[in-house]
Amino acid sequence: LLEKLYGPTGSKVWKVQSVKPGHFGLGPVGGSTPVEWYGAGPDEKTGVGMYDDRFTFSADGTFTYVTNGTIFGRDPHIVNDLGPNTTGNVNGADIENYPFADFTETHTLTAPGGIETISLSGNGFIGYYSGGNHQYQIFDRSVPNELVLRTTDGATEFDWWFIIVAE
C-alpha cells in the first residue's frame, strides 16, 4: 500500500479517474457496492471544479491539494466548514466551482479492524467535499495505479465513492 500510495520517490500525485464509469457517486452508509445509488458516467462532471484537482500523498505524512481555484462539494457541509459560497454554482445539493485555494494538510494510514483507511487532517478531502470525519476507506486497490475510496458525509446520509488514479 505504501509503495502504491507514494511510489518509489516517496511522493505521488493523484486525480479523480474521470474517464471511468462510476468514478464518483453515492450509496447507502455502510454499503458494499460502489456507487450503488448513483455513479457518474465518463467525464460527466466536467466543468464543476473536480477533474482539474490534484492530490499529492507524501511519505512524510503531507497531503497537498491543488484546486486550480475551485472545488466541488455538498451543501451545507462545504459552506458550514469552509465558508460562504460567493460565486459557486448551486446545483441541487451540490456547489460547483466553489472558490477555494490550494492547501496542505496531513494524512495517516491505519487499518482499524483490517480496513485500510486514509485519514486527512483539518478539512482535507479528496475530489468532492462532503464533510464528515475526512476518513477514506480503501475499498479496492487491486488495479495498478488506482484506488477505490469511500467516505461517509457529515450528515451520515450517504457514502461517497471515488476512483482516483496516479498521474
Side-chain angles (χ1 to χ4, degrees):
L1 175 59
L2 297 177
E3 172 69 25
K4 184 165 197 156
L5 194 60
Y6 310 132
T9 64
S11 182
K12 193 183 278 189
V13 179
W14 295 81
K15 66 179 182 176
V16 172
Q17 174 60 303
S18 63
V19 298
K20 195 167 191 175
H23 61 274
F24 166 70
L26 66 115
V29 173
S32 60
T33 303
V35 300
E36 185 173 345
W37 292 344
Y38 162 76
D43 294 318
E44 182 180 324
K45 296 298 179 183
T46 297
V48 301
M50 178 168 58
Y51 294 158
D52 64 349
D53 296 357
R54 298 297 181 266
F55 335 107
T56 302
F57 291 96
S58 299
D60 68 358
T62 303
F63 173 77
T64 304
Y65 196 117
V66 175
T67 69
N68 286 297
T70 64
I71 60 173
F72 182 41
R74 183 103 175 145
D75 194 16
H77 310 298
I78 194 169
V79 171
N80 291 346
D81 296 350
L82 305 181
N85 176 27
T86 56
T87 60
N89 178 51
V90 177
N91 183 356
D94 296 327
I95 299 180
E96 303 166 344
N97 296 305
Y98 176 95
F100 204 70
D102 300 349
F103 63 91
T104 299
E105 294 287 354
T106 60
H107 75 278
T108 55
L109 289 172
T110 57
I115 299 170
E116 296 173 330
T117 303
I118 300 169
S119 297
L120 303 174
S121 67
N123 287 321
F125 69 100
I126 296 171
Y128 176 83
Y129 191 87
S130 63
N133 60 14
H134 308 276
Q135 293 181 349
Y136 292 79
Q137 175 191 348
I138 300 170
F139 187 78
D140 184 8
R141 60 179 172 109
S142 62
V143 176
N145 292 314
E146 186 176 280
L147 293 171
V148 178
L149 307 174
R150 77 170 173 187
T151 189
T152 303
D153 67 25
T156 61
E157 184 177 17
F158 304 114
D159 272 357
W160 294 91
W161 295 83
F162 306 88
I163 299 174
I164 62 173
V165 62
E167 285 200 302

